[in-house]
């Protein structure tokens, strides 16, 4: 998917800059070239990190991409980040241009669904230590790329709890 001709434009984001904010419609898909981002929502009390993206990851406000409606998600750069983007219309044309491209898209969606299901199961059934171990095993790079306070939010624990678990 890192075909140069596929991507419309390159976007440079500074640390803490938003790629997307709550209430906006975003029908783009992004490829992270370098840096890191997080997708999160805010309830009345706190931020909840849903997902991360770093080098070579595809990231999107998938709900807004699919239904073309405003989304409650924010996408924020955690450090200086470069992404390439493609709009939905061009992406759909790419997908529909060959059976192989359809298979690529289906694989991306399947992986996303499986990751979400695994994450939901972890949050609902696992202890904080088990969640930490599973994420460490699944995505060791996360712990090099992402600040602990965001990993803690993703794991649904306080930064202090994460720090204790990492030390033990």
């Amino acid at each position: 998917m890192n075909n140069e001709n596929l991507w419309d434009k390159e976007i440079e984001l500074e640390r803490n800059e938003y790629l997307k904010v709550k209430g906006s419609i975003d029908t783009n898909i992004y490829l992270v070239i370098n840096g890191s981002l997080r997708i999160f929502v805010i309830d009345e009390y706190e931020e909840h990190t849903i997902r991360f993206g770093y080098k070579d990851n595809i990231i999107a406000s998938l709900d807004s991409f699919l239904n073309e409606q405003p989304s409650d998600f924010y996408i924020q750069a955690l450090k200086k980040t470069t992404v390439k983007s493609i709009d939905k219309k061009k992406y759909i044309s790419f997908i529909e241009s060959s059976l192989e491209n359809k298979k690529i898209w289906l694989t991306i969606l399947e992986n996303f669904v499986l990751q979400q299901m695994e994450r939901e199961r972890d949050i609902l059934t696992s202890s904080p230590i088990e969640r930490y171990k599973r994420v460490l095993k699944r995505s060791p790079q996360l712990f090099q790329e992402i600040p602990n306070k965001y990993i803690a939010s993703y794991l649904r624990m306080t930064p202090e709890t994460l720090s204790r678990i990492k030390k033990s």
Side-chain angles (χ1 to χ4, degrees):
M1 288 252 329
N2 201 353
N3 177 332
E4 286 301 314
N5 301 330
L6 181 62
W7 303 95
D8 292 327
K9 62 182 175 182
E10 195 167 280
I11 301 166
E12 299 274 338
L13 297 163
E14 294 301 320
R15 182 174 179 257
N16 296 327
E17 191 175 345
Y18 291 93
L19 183 60
K20 187 210 169 300
V21 295
K22 176 182 178 169
S24 63
I25 298 172
D26 188 349
T27 56
N28 291 320
I29 289 182
Y30 303 94
L31 173 67
V32 182
I33 303 303
N34 59 53
S36 58
L37 303 114
R38 70 182 179 128
I39 298 180
F40 68 100
V41 294
I42 300 176
D43 67 18
E44 52 189 287
Y45 304 108
E46 61 186 313
E47 296 177 355
H48 299 284
T49 300
I50 309 291
R51 181 167 209 87
F52 297 105
Y54 34 81
K55 187 172 173 44
D56 297 329
N57 288 165
I58 299 258
I59 195 166
S61 179
L62 197 56
D63 61 339
S64 195
F65 177 83
L66 294 171
N67 67 23
E68 299 181 20
Q69 298 295 312
S71 167
D72 287 341
F73 293 112
Y74 294 82
I75 303 177
Q76 181 184 36
L78 297 176
K79 58 173 123 177
K80 191 173 173 67
T81 300
T82 305
V83 296
K84 289 184 177 178
S85 72
I86 182 172
D87 69 48
K88 184 175 182 175
K89 189 174 179 184
K90 186 174 177 186
Y91 192 71
I92 299 295
S93 293
F94 164 75
I95 293 166
E96 292 175 347
S97 68
S98 76
L99 192 55
E100 187 178 329
N101 291 348
K102 281 183 181 159
K103 287 179 183 174
I104 290 169
W105 178 234
L106 191 58
T107 301
I108 289 169
L109 287 177
E110 286 172 349
N111 287 334
F112 179 77
V113 169
L114 290 171
Q115 289 167 10
Q116 283 304 111
M117 290 173 72
E118 186 174 335
R119 175 165 163 63
E120 287 174 20
R121 188 199 62 228
D122 278 356
I123 288 169
L124 293 171
T125 63
S126 300
S127 72
I129 292 171
E130 289 169 328
R131 288 198 301 268
Y132 168 77
K133 285 180 180 175
R134 257 204 277 275
V135 169
L136 182 60
K137 183 178 176 192
R138 190 172 60 225
S139 306
Q141 186 186 0
L142 186 73
F143 293 88
Q144 275 87 58
E145 295 284 333
I146 306 296
N148 278 343
K149 70 177 184 175
Y150 301 120
I151 296 172
S153 168
Y154 177 76
L155 293 171
R156 295 290 191 268
M157 61 181 70
T158 66
E160 295 75 24
T161 299
L162 176 60
S163 181
R164 273 196 309 276
I165 290 170
K166 284 173 83 173
K167 286 177 187 164
S168 62

